[in-house]
Structure formats: C-alpha cells, structure tokens
Amino acid sequence: MTNIVTQIADKVRPFGVSSNYGDPVEVGDQTLIPVSVGWFGFGGGGDDQNGGGGGGGATLPVGAYVRRPGKDLEFEPNLISLLVVCIPVIWVTGTVLRKLVRVLKK
C-alpha cells in the first residue's frame, strides 16, 4: 500500500491557481474573471487497532476582475463576502481592545 499522504498530495496539487481564478467569461462587451479564496485540510489518527481520517474544504467568492472596453483591468469585490469576512475580524478586534483597555486602567 502506498503512502496515503503521497496519494492525497498528488490529488491536491493540480488545484493551484486555477482553483481560485475562474475561466474568463464574456458578458456583453465586458470580460469577467471570477476570483475566490479556497482552503482545505485533512486529518487522521488512530491507535494500534482503529484508525480514521477525514478532510474538507471551502471556497469563498471574493469578487471578479472586470475588463471594460477602453479601460484597464479592475477588481470589483463581492461586498457580501467582504462583510462575511470583515464582521468577525472587527468583532474580535473590538473584544481584544476592550479587554486591553480594562487591563491598562488597573
């Protein structure tokens, strides 16, 4: 039996950049290139008699590069995705600052 890690690495390697940048799409006189952020992970474990493993992944569309006639290529963000990412970051930052202020007041 070949090494399972080697098998997984061979399957994951082809994803690369093509998994985050879609094929160009012509819409009217515009060209759109969709952009996403993707991540995945694998894990496993076991003892002498039992073992198991699993894996998963996710992708988040963050926007698209848009080329309009007579203009340079521009990135247009997906506002919903930005909110999904920014709200937890802002919440955590606020919580840390609040606790830091409490500690510094003492």
Side-chain angles (χ1 to χ4, degrees), residues 8-9 12 15 38-44 53-59:
I8 291 172
V12 172
F15 290 113
W39 59 93
F40 49 90
F42 301 95
T59 184

Side-chain angles (χ1 to χ4, degrees), residues 49-88:
Q49 297 175 353
N50 298 316
T59 184
L60 179 68
V62 294
Y65 283 104
V66 180
R67 182 179 306 259
R68 294 184 176 91
K71 291 190 176 182
D72 290 333
L73 189 66
E74 296 177 328
F75 180 76
E76 293 189 9
N78 178 345
L79 296 178
I80 294 171
S81 294
L82 288 176
L83 287 174
V84 166
V85 171
C86 289
I87 288 174

